[in-house]
């Protein structure tokens, strides 16, 4: 019986989070750029940025994302992160990837919605040019965030005409914020006539 070479199989990746898919070397590079100290041991660092094997709930799983948030507060950091994620995918023979991210989580130091999207799309383009992968961006609205803030972010994102920005997503605490609690935001995105996906699981 022959074995399948899974690495050589062509693949698509339709559920990839920017802040949850970074390589350890890039995390260290981002931390150096932000003057943030990290554990010296890769094993300890991996513990901080990897979801526990046994999670009591979704929020336990999402804690690893909080560790990355301070590292993604500049355009340069977002571009590098997007490039890293798409590069890793290309090296796994992924031909098409959608990388989702929440602009809100990279606006702590003054970046605008448009700046975050431009920076991510730039990193994806760099990987596309270098590796031949098709890499596109999805903008996430966070379910648990203030809905007025999310509405503004979605409206500003909708002004982007970059062809590497292809749609919207709703992510975050789906247990406490099921679809009916964000119906107004869902209807807002539907009015844009752009593709939309929702986390459900």
């Amino acid at each position: 019986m022959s074995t399948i070479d899974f690495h050589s199989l062509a693949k698509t990746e339709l559920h990839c989070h920017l802040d949850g898919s970074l390589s350890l070397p890039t995390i260290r590079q981002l931390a150096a750029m932000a003057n943030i100290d990290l554990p010296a041991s890769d094993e300890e660092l991996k513990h901080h940025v990897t979801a526990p094997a046994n999670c009591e709930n979704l929020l336990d799983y999402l804690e690893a994302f909080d560790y990355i948030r301070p590292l993604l507060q500049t355009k340069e950091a977002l571009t590098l992160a997007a490039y890293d994620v798409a590069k890793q995918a290309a090296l796994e023979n992924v031909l098409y990837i959608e990388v989702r991210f929440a602009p809100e989580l990279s606006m702590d130091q003054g970046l605008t919605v448009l700046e975050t999207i431009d920076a991510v799309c730039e990193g994806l383009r760099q990987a596309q040019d270098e590796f031949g992968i098709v890499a596109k961006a999805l903008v996430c609205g966070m379910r648990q965030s203030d809905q007025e803030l999310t509405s503004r972010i979605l409206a500003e994102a909708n002004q982007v005409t970059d062809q590497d920005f292809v749609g919207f997503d709703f992510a975050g605490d789906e247990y406490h914020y099921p679809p009916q609690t964000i119906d107004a935001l869902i209807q807002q995105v539907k009015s844009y006539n752009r593709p939309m996906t929702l986390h459900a699981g």
Side-chain angles (χ1 to χ4, degrees), residues 76-197:
E76 294 78 13
L78 286 167
T79 296
L80 174 61
Y83 171 83
D84 175 64
V85 170
K87 173 185 175 181
Q88 290 183 76
L91 295 177
E92 291 290 332
N93 204 30
V94 172
L95 304 185
Y96 178 87
I97 186 171
E98 291 177 352
V99 179
R100 61 193 70 208
F101 78 104
E104 174 189 347
L105 303 182
S106 291
M107 295 167 58
D108 298 341
Q109 296 177 15
L111 286 183
T112 67
V113 174
L114 301 185
E115 286 173 335
T116 67
I117 297 172
D118 287 345
V120 169
C121 288
E122 175 60 26
L124 297 180
R125 277 192 295 274
Q126 290 176 11
Q128 291 182 88
D129 291 344
E130 188 170 342
F131 299 101
I133 188 173
V134 177
K136 303 298 181 181
L138 297 178
V139 163
C140 296
M142 301 305 291
R143 292 170 180 258
Q144 68 271 21
S145 295
D146 177 79
Q147 293 204 9
E148 288 188 11
L149 170 64
T150 302
S151 177
R152 178 177 65 81
I153 289 172
L154 298 174
E156 292 184 24
N158 190 48
Q159 303 304 310
V160 175
T161 58
D162 192 312
Q163 293 185 346
D164 293 311
F165 164 51
V166 295
F168 290 94
D169 174 47
F170 287 99
D173 183 2
E174 57 197 87
Y175 179 78
H176 294 102
Y177 298 88
Q180 58 265 33
T181 66
I182 57 167
D183 182 65
L185 297 173
I186 293 172
Q187 297 306 318
Q188 177 181 342
V189 172
K190 286 178 68 176
S191 74
Y192 297 153
N193 293 315
R194 289 186 187 250
M196 173 179 60
T197 183

Side-chain angles (χ1 to χ4, degrees), residues 3-11 90-95:
T3 59
I4 298 174
D5 179 5
F6 289 104
H7 186 276
S8 67
L9 288 176
K11 309 169 191 73
L91 295 177
E92 291 290 332
N93 204 30
V94 172
L95 304 185

Side-chain angles (χ1 to χ4, degrees), residues 10-22:
K11 309 169 191 73
T12 60
E13 169 60 87
L14 300 180
H15 191 147
C16 179
H17 288 265
L18 179 69
D19 46 357
S21 306
L22 297 169

